Amino acid sequence: MESGTATAAEAATAIGEEISRFMRLITAWKQRTRDDPGGGDRLLLGKLVTCGPRRATDLAADTFLDL
């Protein structure tokens, strides 16, 4: 086996571990922002800064927030 290459099983395991890590990070972020009253505001402002003017419905959909 060459250095830097992985079998399909190794690649699948690595992807599964990264997905698990990502889900834990999302859960931690949701918990932290739930306790922070200004968290949603910063998320919306950040999206507006990076993407420019947006309709409220598009902004809500992009940030997975309720309108």
Side-chain angles (χ1 to χ4, degrees):
M1 181 163 97
E2 287 185 34
S3 178
T5 61
T7 66
E10 291 169 337
T13 299
I15 289 171
E17 290 171 357
E18 288 300 315
I19 290 172
S20 295
R21 180 176 173 269
F22 182 65
M23 295 305 293
R24 286 192 304 273
L25 287 171
I26 288 174
T27 301
W29 175 77
K30 283 182 179 181
Q31 182 65 40
R32 191 170 45 245
T33 57
R34 182 180 303 133
D35 299 333
D36 182 10
D41 296 347
R42 285 191 295 278
L43 179 65
L44 295 173
L45 287 172
K47 191 67 170 176
L48 289 171
V49 166
T50 58
C51 296
R54 318 253 322 149
R55 292 187 342 211
T57 53
D58 293 336
L59 188 60
D62 290 346
T63 55
F64 303 104
L65 295 172
D66 291 334
L67 185 58

